[in-house]
Amino acid sequence: MEVSELENMARSAAEEIAALSDAGELEQHRVKWLGGKGLVRRARASIKQYEGDERVEFARRVNRVAEDVTRVLEAAAERIAAEATARRIAEDWIDPSLPSTAPRRGALHPVRVVELRCVEIMGRLGFEQAEGPEVETSYFNFDALNIPRDHPARDMQDTFWVDEQRLLRTHTTSVQARVLARAGGKPVKVVVAGRVYRNEAVDATHLAMFHQLDGFWVDRGLTFAHFKGVAIHLARELYGERRVRLKPKSYPYTEPSVGIDVECGLCGGGGCPACHDSGWVTIMGAGMVHRNVLQEFGYDPDEFSGFAFGWGLSRMTTQMYGLSKLRPIYRGDLRLLRALDGRPALCV
């Protein structure tokens, strides 16, 4: 094949390719020129027919033809692709000013909303958040918290046991024990939130799994007056300027122990779902950390003192959203969750 013949053919091919508008025809031209049996390949096979400078010049001109054809093919491919895109846009044109049909975005679960609010309030008081395992040992869940072996909570009817030493934690107070064990006798100020498990019959107000929140503060010089100030502040931050009362309670890990109630805000004619017409809603159990718990973790109870408080986030969620039953908030019913989305979490 003569070089002049090849160059003339290449010029003609460039004109043909520039006029193409079909990707299939473009592929045919690529194979014709650059394929395994194409014209450029055949021209390169002819290089051996020449000698010396003629061979070098022939090879150079063949390579130039190959580069020119490649450039023309690439330009045509980009043009044809752009034209195809333009046609699709023209055929599938939409009005960007029309209202969006994007799917509805999700939202935080009501329990999570209340949890974040509680943690944020306590964070402003200097409480740091801590976490712990949900599969706990009997030591941290019971023994370290002054709960004796004959306590009803250790019975299989009340607790989900994994084996003789491990169980599904029955309260987030177990994390307090772990924090104190790591503290090495230093002051601690911690808030804990998470799931807990009780082997209870499921009804309108009880579930086998629910959420709790615990807070505790151990330091030198803390008194019941400090505890009362913090507890009342938390109650009013959560429920507004309502009356708060403290009533005697009994917990193994605190002494003295109290229950904290706030005045109900839903009463109005009987049948109140929040307080059952008592006029008060219980929101937390609390008290001064028991001497035995302090001693268990190396604190001198004559030098250190502390207080702890906790509440059921699940039950608080039903109170704050004005729900009479606990179970619906865990069913995943989108109708209820959408109804509560954006609704102020304070209805008690």
Side-chain angles (χ1 to χ4, degrees):
M1 180 181 290
E2 296 292 334
V3 173
S4 59
E5 179 186 0
L6 184 64
E7 291 179 338
N8 289 335
M9 292 175 63
R11 282 193 290 271
S12 299
E15 295 176 359
E16 293 178 9
I17 293 172
L20 293 177
S21 59
D22 182 77
E25 294 179 355
L26 180 65
E27 177 62 15
Q28 294 176 6
H29 278 76
R30 188 195 67 78
V31 173
K32 175 182 176 181
W33 280 92
L34 304 178
K37 298 180 180 180
L39 295 174
V40 171
R41 184 71 176 268
R42 288 165 52 190
R44 284 176 173 156
S46 302
I47 293 176
K48 61 185 178 182
Q49 300 175 359
Y50 297 87
E51 298 292 340
D53 293 341
E54 289 185 353
R55 172 179 286 189
V56 174
E57 178 62 20
F58 183 82
R60 183 182 64 80
R61 295 176 70 179
V62 170
N63 288 336
R64 185 176 64 189
V65 169
E67 292 173 357
D68 290 344
V69 172
T70 299
R71 184 168 55 253
V72 171
L73 287 169
E74 290 176 349
E78 293 179 1
R79 175 178 53 79
I80 291 173
E83 292 174 352
T85 300
R87 286 195 299 271
R88 287 197 300 270
I89 292 175
E91 293 170 359
D92 300 335
W93 182 86
I94 62 172
D95 184 352
S97 66
L98 291 174
S100 171
T101 56
R104 179 185 173 91
R105 296 182 62 186
L108 291 175
H109 191 276
V111 174
R112 180 63 172 163
V113 172
V114 174
E115 176 185 316
L116 290 175
R117 181 175 178 183
C118 294
V119 171
E120 187 272 333
I121 292 171
M122 296 180 68
R124 296 202 305 265
L125 296 176
F127 287 83
E128 297 182 359
Q129 190 167 8
E131 296 181 349
E134 294 181 19
V135 178
E136 189 56 273
T137 66
S138 60
Y139 173 75
F140 286 111
N141 198 83
F142 295 129
D143 298 304
L145 297 174
N146 199 41
I147 300 177
R149 292 188 177 275
D150 58 352
H151 195 280
R154 290 180 179 260
D155 194 283
M156 293 184 65
Q157 303 303 316
D158 291 274
T159 300
F160 291 106
W161 288 88
V162 178
D163 54 38
E164 292 183 357
Q165 296 299 323
R166 295 181 302 160
L167 60 138
L168 299 183
R169 67 182 183 190
T170 61
H171 47 194
T172 47
T173 314
S174 62
V175 183
Q176 295 185 21
R178 287 183 170 271
V179 172
L180 290 173
R182 295 193 301 264
K186 298 179 181 179
V188 291
K189 195 175 184 182
V190 171
V191 57
V192 182
R195 289 185 291 264
V196 299
Y197 304 86
R198 304 277 178 87
N199 192 2
E200 296 188 14
V202 176
D203 56 30
T205 57
H206 295 85
L207 292 174
M209 185 282 296
F210 53 98
H211 287 73
Q212 273 191 346
L213 184 143
D214 270 79
F216 71 106
W217 184 3
V218 174
D219 205 339
R220 294 177 176 85
L222 293 178
T223 67
F224 194 86
H226 294 98
F227 154 69
K228 185 176 178 181
V230 170
I232 292 177
H233 174 77
L234 288 174
R236 288 180 174 165
E237 283 289 303
L238 290 168
Y239 293 93
E241 292 296 325
R242 295 181 181 162
R243 289 189 299 166
V244 179
R245 73 177 184 183
L246 279 65
K247 59 187 180 184
K249 297 284 284 187
S250 176
Y251 302 108
Y253 32 83
T254 55
E255 181 62 30
S257 303
V258 296
I260 301 177
D261 298 347
V262 294
E263 189 176 17
C264 182
L266 287 179
C267 293
C272 177
C275 71
H276 305 290
D277 299 327
S278 69
W280 295 92
V281 175
T282 300
I283 61 170
M284 70 177 77
M288 303 300 292
V289 178
H290 200 288
R291 292 175 60 91
N292 293 349
V293 176
L294 293 174
Q295 290 175 333
E296 178 69 25
F297 296 109
Y299 290 88
D300 182 354
D302 294 325
E303 180 181 0
F304 281 87
S305 59
F307 55 82
F309 48 89
W311 57 82
L313 282 170
S314 303
R315 187 165 297 175
M316 180 174 283
T317 300
T318 62
Q319 294 170 352
M320 286 193 162
Y321 283 96
L323 304 175
S324 59
K325 297 181 179 180
L326 179 64
R327 196 186 310 178
I329 66 173
Y330 285 108
R331 281 180 174 169
D333 190 330
L334 290 179
R335 294 170 299 178
L336 174 63
L337 298 179
R338 286 171 180 168
L340 299 182
D341 182 19
R343 177 174 166 182
L346 183 55
C347 300
V348 178

